[in-house]
Amino acid sequence: MLFFEMLNNSILNLKVNKFRSFLTMLGIIIGISSVIGIASLGEGGQNLVTGKLKEGGYGKFNVSVDKNNVKFRNKYFFTPNLINSLNETNKFKNISPDISENILININKEKEFGYLEASTIEFEKISPIQLAAGRNFIPLEYESGENIIVIDNITATQLYGSPSQALNRIIRISKDWDKSLISYRVIGVMKNPIENLIKLMGEEDFPRFVRVPLKTYEKNFSTLSNKYTTLIVESKVPKNLAQDMKDIKVILNSLTNTKNLYEVNVKNTGAESFEQILKFLNLFISIVASISIIVGGIGIMNIMLVNIIERTNEIGIRKAIGATNLDILILFLLESITLSFIGSFIGIFLGICLSLIIGYFIGVQPIFNYFFILFLMLVSIFIGVVFGVFPAIKASKLDPVEALRK
């Protein structure tokens, strides 16, 4: 029998029982569409969550003084004078003290953990915020030491109903459990930097983010005035980051007459670590979803075995008029592969459509990997071969005389 003739016969045989063929393909359809949906939405969610984190750290690095070094003295802290000297080299775009603290915020009469950043004019240029309401600090307020604060929009909405209603309200924070809370007036509301993740994971427990001027932080929380352990530096040209990191160590060694006292690291946004976690979760869920593809393959094998029983007489007739064992094997194998191929095609179409629809409602743009989709189609065809070969071999070995008797 010619190959295309056998292929046509396979398709015609599947058309005879359309509903049963569809039910047979259902496992493949569900498996393929589930894997595509999970993978594309997972990739889109991962890109959405980590994209801004990566953007926030690009071309920026930290310089810190090693206080455990035996050479360390208080005079080697970063000071405004030392920062000015670094600025005078004109090698870097912006330099600022990098101060962040875990704090306690009074939320509905209970203390909850938050994340505080001490801000300067330069720090706002290096790590800008997106305002949801109100304003940011003005130059005078960076020096006044006034108790003013910018809080994140999710906290503002939870406490006051909306970001705009949080303006000029009083929020109280503390650095330690045993310290009294200090009142701050809210002048602005910024977008929470991990808002997308919070939307995906739920808002019950999430980090609160606040910013206060550096002078305000020093007045209320710091025992050291104008002495900093860490700087954040922004390169003029982000691609020159590695060279700038080397240059600043040389400059600091020269300015302070020391060696190996300052450490330089790429600004850690947490994007890389978090991205690895999301990739692992996405892969794990995709593997779980792909089990249904195997279940679909078992369904194909089951229906093909039923077909052999129903078509025993047909097999006998084909052999009687000259069909070889190989012809019968190929005929039934093609039916199995055709079921898998059509099922995978429908699954891919449904997977893409569902991903776009779900992504629209949850605010995630799905990212489709077309090589991965092609791979899934090849896997489904392979499943058709693997689970179809046993019934095909069984059909090919039927004795024509015995088959004609049934």
Side-chain angles (χ1 to χ4, degrees):
M1 295 175 69
L2 295 174
F3 174 81
F4 288 106
E5 182 183 344
M6 288 191 288
L7 179 61
N8 185 55
N9 284 336
S10 298
I11 295 172
L12 289 174
N13 286 329
L14 295 176
K15 284 183 177 179
V16 171
N17 293 294
K18 294 179 182 178
F19 186 67
R20 187 169 71 180
S21 297
F22 173 75
L23 291 178
T24 305
M25 294 185 290
L26 201 56
I28 297 290
I29 294 171
I30 293 173
I32 295 288
S33 60
S34 298
V35 173
I36 289 176
I38 290 169
S40 60
L41 289 171
E43 187 74 20
Q46 174 183 310
N47 186 66
L48 182 68
V49 172
T50 62
K52 290 186 178 180
L53 290 175
K54 286 183 176 179
E55 183 182 327
Y58 185 55
K60 299 157 191 177
F61 60 94
N62 288 119
V63 187
S64 56
V65 58
D66 183 5
K67 294 190 293 183
N68 296 320
N69 193 305
V70 293
K71 300 177 184 177
F72 174 74
R73 302 290 183 273
N74 279 354
K75 64 180 181 179
Y76 296 131
F77 275 119
F78 295 111
T79 63
N81 288 336
L82 186 54
I83 294 172
N84 287 336
S85 297
L86 289 172
N87 280 321
E88 287 171 2
T89 64
N90 202 33
K91 284 183 171 288
F92 313 104
K93 187 174 181 180
N94 289 296
I95 304 173
S96 170
D98 189 13
I99 299 171
S100 58
E101 294 275 3
N102 291 319
I103 56 164
L104 299 164
I105 305 178
N106 191 38
I107 304 292
N108 298 326
K109 297 182 179 180
E110 292 186 3
K111 291 181 180 179
E112 295 190 14
F113 286 103
Y115 184 78
L116 178 145
E117 291 178 320
S119 180
T120 66
I121 294 174
E122 292 75 19
F123 186 81
E124 293 294 341
K125 294 176 183 177
I126 298 171
S127 183
I129 59 174
Q130 287 183 286
L131 285 171
R135 61 175 178 83
N136 208 339
F137 311 113
I138 59 176
L140 181 64
E141 290 170 335
Y142 286 109
E143 300 298 327
S144 67
E146 183 182 354
N147 285 1
I148 50 178
I149 195 170
V150 172
I151 66 174
D152 71 273
N153 61 314
I154 300 178
T155 299
T157 301
Q158 187 184 69
L159 288 178
Y160 307 112
S162 71
S164 60
Q165 290 179 331
L167 300 178
N168 293 314
R169 298 293 188 95
I170 299 298
I171 192 167
R172 303 172 70 208
I173 66 175
S174 174
K175 188 176 177 182
D176 301 299
W177 285 100
D178 57 348
K179 297 291 180 65
S180 59
L181 294 162
I182 300 173
S183 297
Y184 290 80
R185 179 171 60 89
V186 178
I187 65 163
V189 178
M190 62 178 169
K191 291 186 178 179
N192 191 303
I194 58 170
E195 181 177 10
N196 293 319
L197 174 62
I198 294 169
K199 286 180 179 179
L200 289 174
M201 305 298 289
E203 298 185 8
E204 290 185 6
D205 296 306
F206 64 91
R208 321 265 179 181
F209 289 85
V210 302
R211 282 189 180 183
V212 299
L214 177 58
K215 293 296 181 184
T216 303
Y217 168 81
E218 290 180 334
K219 180 188 73 173
N220 293 328
F221 297 130
S222 178
T223 57
L224 295 173
S225 180
N226 292 327
K227 289 184 174 64
Y228 318 112
T229 59
T230 306
L231 299 181
I232 181 171
V233 183
E234 182 179 17
S235 297
K236 283 187 175 181
V237 182
K239 68 179 182 180
N240 294 339
L241 176 67
Q243 186 59 48
D244 287 345
M245 291 171 70
K246 293 178 182 178
D247 289 345
I248 201 166
K249 286 191 74 172
V250 173
I251 294 169
L252 285 169
N253 290 341
S254 174
L255 290 172
T256 59
N257 294 316
T258 61
K259 287 186 178 180
N260 304 319
L261 188 60
Y262 296 96
E263 299 174 342
V264 183
N265 297 288
V266 175
K267 174 65 176 174
N268 180 21
T269 62
E272 290 76 16
S273 299
F274 193 66
E275 186 173 28
Q276 291 302 316
I277 295 171
L278 289 179
K279 280 183 177 179
F280 175 78
L281 289 174
N282 193 24
L283 177 63
F284 176 75
I285 296 172
S286 296
I287 291 172
V288 172
S290 65
I291 292 174
S292 58
I293 300 177
I294 298 174
V295 174
I298 296 172
I300 289 174
M301 182 171 66
N302 181 57
I303 204 67
M304 293 307 298
L305 289 171
V306 172
N307 278 345
I308 292 170
I309 296 171
E310 291 180 348
R311 294 163 58 189
T312 300
N313 192 257
E314 176 195 331
I315 294 169
I317 293 172
R318 286 183 182 275
K319 284 196 169 186
I321 61 176
T324 65
N325 286 355
L326 182 62
D327 290 333
I328 300 299
L329 186 147
I330 293 174
L331 177 66
F332 278 85
L333 197 57
L334 281 175
E335 288 186 24
S336 174
I337 293 171
T338 302
L339 281 169
S340 293
F341 178 78
I342 295 174
S344 68
F345 186 82
I346 296 172
I348 289 169
F349 177 76
L350 284 178
I352 292 173
C353 291
L354 288 172
S355 297
L356 292 170
I357 293 169
I358 295 171
Y360 173 79
F361 284 105
I362 67 175
V364 173
Q365 177 65 44
I367 297 176
F368 300 104
N369 185 325
Y370 296 103
F371 288 104
F372 180 65
I373 291 174
L374 178 61
F375 172 74
L376 285 177
M377 181 173 284
L378 294 175
V379 166
S380 68
I381 294 173
F382 177 74
I383 290 289
V385 173
V386 170
F387 287 95
V389 70
F390 173 72
I393 291 173
K394 185 176 180 179
S396 68
K397 289 184 177 180
L398 283 177
D399 182 85
V401 176
E402 293 296 325
L404 287 169
R405 287 177 179 174
K406 296 182 180 181

